[in-house]
Amino acid sequence: MKFAHMADCHIGGWREPKLRALGYSAFEQAVDRCISEEVDFVIIAGDLFNTALPAVEGLKIVVTKFRELQLAGIPIYLIAGSHDYSPAGKSMIEVLEQTGLFVNVSKGEEVEGKLRLKFTTDSKTGVKLTGILGKRAGLDKKIYEQLDFGALENEKGGKIFLFHNLLTEFKTKELEKADSSPVSLLPKGFDYYAGGHVHIVEKRDFEGRKNVVYPGPLFPNSFSELEELKKGGFYVVELGDDVKMERVELEIKKVVNVSVDVDKMDVGVAEKKVREALEVEVSDSVVLLRVRGVLESGRGSDIKFREMFKDLYEKGAYFVMKNIVKLESKEFEAIKVEQGSVDEVEDRLVKEHLGQIQIEGDEEGMVKGLMNALSSEKFDGEKNADYENRIREEVKKII
């Protein structure tokens, strides 16, 4: 069989319209490649969308491309990720599944106190798929602990398991404080383990669990990811007696990294050094400017970044971003800014303040659920009263 393994599409994830458009383009190109490769099916291991109730713009793109796959006879199998999932039970994944555009393979029932997952059989290849959805703050770990491993491992035939969490064995230095689960929580004996959630590109084999794979995001979702990855992608996998994997890279725009150290410089010298560093080819590129160091005199806000950005756009730059988190001054007290992804910063802040009030049950899960519900955007054409009532109902279900 031949299939595509995607994850972490995060449709609609960027706030900046130009970068959000690049995310859309990456998704469209990925689907086009799947059709041209004539894959048997497509797997999406969570976080198709960046929120449980995405904007209409991104929703229209997804439905259009999924329809193209359907017309090409290529089924889609997916699970909800931590961004797709809604504690209130309202998710666009559930709505779209009713249209028949894809199959959510994370299904099961309780049998004698254990969670028995159901398999979805692909009609063309006969492979059986199942998996576990992803939840924020590692709350999906409880689901794995309730699994009926015997039923999963004793199932005959070719099998693929979809999961959306960070496995401890894949932790990097940057992820050392992130919630994770050991690989031992995955059932043994599957032919392929399609991972998502953590934005790394890696394949590893473990005893009883071969082909554990993270494909990375379809398009980088933060400044640091753009710096490190520069582009997203996915895997095309041929599974038979041997496993053949091709990494399909999606370079939507060239990324130009400019990093400048201005430590112990006065602001005038620092600005000159930054300007000189920006004398690079930027035509139709995403330009990332990172400035760090402790200024001997002056402050970061004195550097004329706006003028520099104007010059870059006149030279044809597609989009320009700067990161001055580590730019400080001796003359002024440095403002400390938490680093990391939005999810990581949220997790740290929530955990720092747990226990200040008495709440029965899972306080962290409740806080995360409330944050997700209260960040829900108003639908196009939705009246203010209807929007407020919808938010109230979601909050009531959570608490």
Side-chain angles (χ1 to χ4, degrees):
M1 68 191 74
K2 182 179 181 182
F3 62 90
H5 172 196
M6 306 178 190
D8 301 294
C9 307
H10 290 284
I11 299 298
W14 282 96
R15 294 180 182 177
E16 295 84 358
K18 281 193 169 183
L19 293 177
R20 190 162 61 243
L22 296 186
Y24 294 154
S25 294
F27 178 75
E28 291 171 330
Q29 288 190 24
V31 170
D32 291 345
R33 181 62 179 269
C34 290
I35 294 174
S36 67
E37 288 276 348
E38 297 182 341
V39 298
D40 294 315
F41 54 87
V42 173
I43 288 174
I44 301 178
D47 284 352
L48 170 61
F49 297 106
N50 197 60
T51 180
L53 298 173
V56 171
E57 179 186 29
L59 188 60
K60 182 178 178 181
I61 290 171
V62 169
V63 170
T64 299
K65 301 308 289 186
F66 275 10
R67 179 61 176 159
E68 290 178 12
L69 285 169
Q70 189 178 59
L71 291 173
I74 302 173
I76 306 157
Y77 303 109
L78 59 70
I79 56 173
S82 51
H83 284 256
D84 300 308
Y85 171 77
S86 168
K90 293 183 178 180
S91 168
M92 192 54 65
I93 294 295
E94 296 178 357
V95 175
L96 289 181
E97 186 181 14
Q98 300 304 311
T99 67
L101 286 173
F102 60 80
V103 178
N104 182 350
V105 301
S106 181
K107 301 286 176 64
E109 59 183 355
E110 184 176 333
V111 179
E112 298 179 353
K114 290 287 186 179
L115 174 59
R116 183 168 295 178
L117 294 180
K118 297 180 179 180
F119 282 94
T120 297
T121 302
D122 178 63
S123 59
K124 184 177 180 181
T125 65
V127 71
K128 301 175 182 178
L129 304 98
T130 189
I132 297 291
L133 80 168
K135 293 186 178 182
R136 289 177 181 263
L139 297 177
D140 51 347
K141 186 183 295 186
K142 296 179 180 179
I143 303 177
Y144 286 90
E145 293 171 348
Q146 297 169 353
L147 281 181
D148 184 342
F149 280 87
L152 289 170
E153 294 174 353
N154 292 331
E155 184 74 21
K156 304 299 182 182
K159 298 179 294 185
I160 297 176
F161 190 87
L162 283 66
F163 67 98
H164 188 86
N165 64 8
L166 168 59
L167 296 176
T168 307
E169 291 78 1
F170 285 83
K171 274 192 172 185
T172 61
K173 183 178 180 181
E174 294 75 20
L175 296 169
E176 59 186 0
K177 294 183 179 179
D179 290 311
S180 65
S181 302
V183 73
S184 59
L185 283 187
L186 298 179
K188 292 183 179 181
F190 281 67
D191 298 284
Y192 190 89
Y193 296 83
H197 181 53
V198 57
H199 294 188
I200 60 176
V201 181
E202 191 168 352
K203 171 193 175 295
R204 294 178 62 184
D205 295 331
F206 302 89
E207 184 178 355
R209 303 170 181 89
K210 291 186 177 182
N211 305 315
V212 182
V213 182
Y214 287 109
L218 276 190
F219 183 74
N221 284 274
S222 67
F223 187 101
S224 59
E225 282 186 18
L226 276 170
E227 270 187 317
E228 182 179 354
L229 299 175
K230 291 187 171 60
K231 51 195 169 187
F234 65 101
Y235 279 115
V236 172
V237 184
E238 292 187 51
L239 199 59
D241 294 334
D242 297 316
V243 177
K244 297 179 181 179
M245 298 179 60
E246 178 189 0
R247 170 76 179 168
V248 179
E249 296 188 334
L250 304 167
E251 186 173 30
I252 312 302
K253 294 287 182 183
K254 182 181 178 182
V255 175
V256 177
N257 289 332
V258 178
S259 181
V260 186
D261 189 341
V262 297
D263 197 44
K264 298 180 181 180
M265 297 180 185
D266 65 49
V267 68
V269 175
E271 180 174 320
K272 182 180 178 182
K273 186 174 181 180
V274 173
R275 287 184 181 276
E276 290 174 349
L278 289 173
E279 292 295 328
V280 293
E281 174 59 45
V282 298
S283 179
D284 201 30
S285 301
V286 176
V287 182
L288 306 177
L289 172 63
R290 184 183 289 275
V291 184
R292 56 165 61 86
V294 180
L295 293 171
E296 194 70 26
S297 65
R299 53 183 175 177
S301 59
D302 294 331
I303 298 177
K304 299 180 181 64
F305 289 112
R306 185 172 296 180
E307 289 184 8
M308 298 181 202
F309 285 14
K310 182 180 178 182
D311 291 342
L312 291 170
Y313 281 121
E314 288 178 353
K315 293 178 181 177
Y318 176 79
F319 193 75
V320 184
M321 301 172 70
K322 74 175 185 296
N323 186 311
I324 55 173
V325 168
K326 293 186 178 180
L327 177 60
E328 302 177 5
S329 172
K330 282 188 175 181
E331 297 181 6
F332 299 89
E333 181 179 359
I335 299 174
K336 300 299 182 183
V337 179
E338 290 278 6
Q339 297 184 63
S341 68
V342 174
D343 287 343
E344 291 167 347
V345 174
E346 286 179 355
D347 287 344
R348 285 199 292 267
L349 290 173
V350 169
K351 289 176 180 177
E352 285 175 8
H353 295 84
L354 291 176
Q356 295 186 26
I357 57 176
Q358 295 298 316
I359 294 178
E360 294 184 7
D362 180 10
E363 181 183 351
E364 184 175 348
M366 183 181 295
V367 171
K368 290 282 188 175
L370 289 171
M371 291 171 63
N372 190 48
L374 294 172
S375 66
S376 176
E377 297 181 0
K378 185 179 171 185
F379 296 145
D380 290 345
E382 187 176 27
K383 296 180 179 178
N384 286 335
D386 293 336
Y387 169 68
E388 292 171 4
N389 287 333
R390 176 166 62 83
I391 299 300
R392 285 196 191 97
E393 289 302 313
E394 289 194 22
V395 169
K396 285 179 182 178
K397 289 182 180 180
I398 294 168
I399 62 176

